[in-house]
Amino acid sequence: DIVMTQAAPSVPVTPGESVSISCRSSKSLLHSNGNTYLYWFLQRPGQSPQLLIYRMSKLASGVPDRFSGSGSGTAFTLRISRVEAEDVGVYYCMQHLEYPYTFGGGTKLEIK
Amino acid sequence: QVQLQQSGAELVRPGASVALSCKASGYTFTDYEIHWVKQTPVHGLEWIGAIDPETGVTAYNQKFKDKATLTADKSSSTAYMELRSLTSEDSAVYHCTLGATVYWGQGTTLTVSS
């Protein structure tokens, strides 16, 4: 199975500042078709996960452009600029290159 | 609009089985796979498996192969997940999701306790 690692269990941030959340995979998620099969989700307290980013860097519909995704085949970053209070929750990366799909352990964004 | 409506919370005895449901609306049920995800504080999010409602073909995480069975009823646009031989380790929130992407159900809390 592909292991997804989010090293930071939490990140504190001041509203208005920017923050980066990292994720690594044990195998390259770059497919031969050129797509990188990495999602980013946000799970707010008491809610189901919400898709933010797909194919590593594409913004899901309705997601503010303060969110952006980047990376290589095995190292990925979710960047949130101008953090707002509503961004609080747990951020998960997930690979969907191959079964079984696997998730990172999550990074909790906390407001200072 | 697309909705996935999951069945309500369950409290079941150890050793029993339970069937969770996920009723889809707002799209053609047979066009997309339904995936199931388990969530616990200890293990986080775990992908259980997926079913193609058109063909009934399933894919399972090996970890859940002996625990879960996925089915789909095209006539009612409902996906089901049966969990058997329940133990406290199966206590969790279970999510259904459309292709493991944008659309998720609200989650079903399963508690296994005597």
Side-chain angles (χ1 to χ4, degrees), chain A:
Chain A
D1 298 358
I2 298 176
V3 177
M4 304 298 292
T5 302
Q6 293 179 246
S10 67
V11 287
V13 62
T14 300
E17 293 187 344
S18 296
V19 66
S20 293
I21 296 172
S22 299
C23 168
R24 301 189 72 90
S25 60
S26 62
K27 175 182 175 179
S28 175
L29 304 184
L30 176 62
H31 192 276
S32 56
N33 64 11
N35 293 319
T36 300
Y37 289 95
L38 187 281
Y39 289 143
W40 284 100
F41 292 94
L42 163 61
Q43 187 173 31
R44 295 187 174 95
Q47 296 185 16
S48 294
Q50 172 195 357
L51 182 67
L52 300 174
I53 300 288
Y54 65 100
R55 292 187 199 166
M56 188 178 70
S57 61
K58 300 187 183 301
L59 201 63
S61 176
V63 176
D65 61 7
R66 300 183 294 102
F67 292 86
S68 61
S70 63
S72 63
T74 59
F76 312 98
T77 301
L78 174 71
R79 181 171 174 81
I80 312 169
S81 59
R82 306 183 304 280
V83 169
E84 300 180 1
E86 69 174 18
D87 300 333
V88 164
V90 182
Y91 290 80
Y92 295 96
C93 57
M94 187 196 96
Q95 68 81 18
H96 60 114
L97 177 69
E98 61 186 42
Y99 289 151
Y101 293 172
T102 46
F103 294 86
T107 297
K108 186 174 185 179
L109 188 144
E110 300 172 329
I111 298 293
K112 287 182 183 175

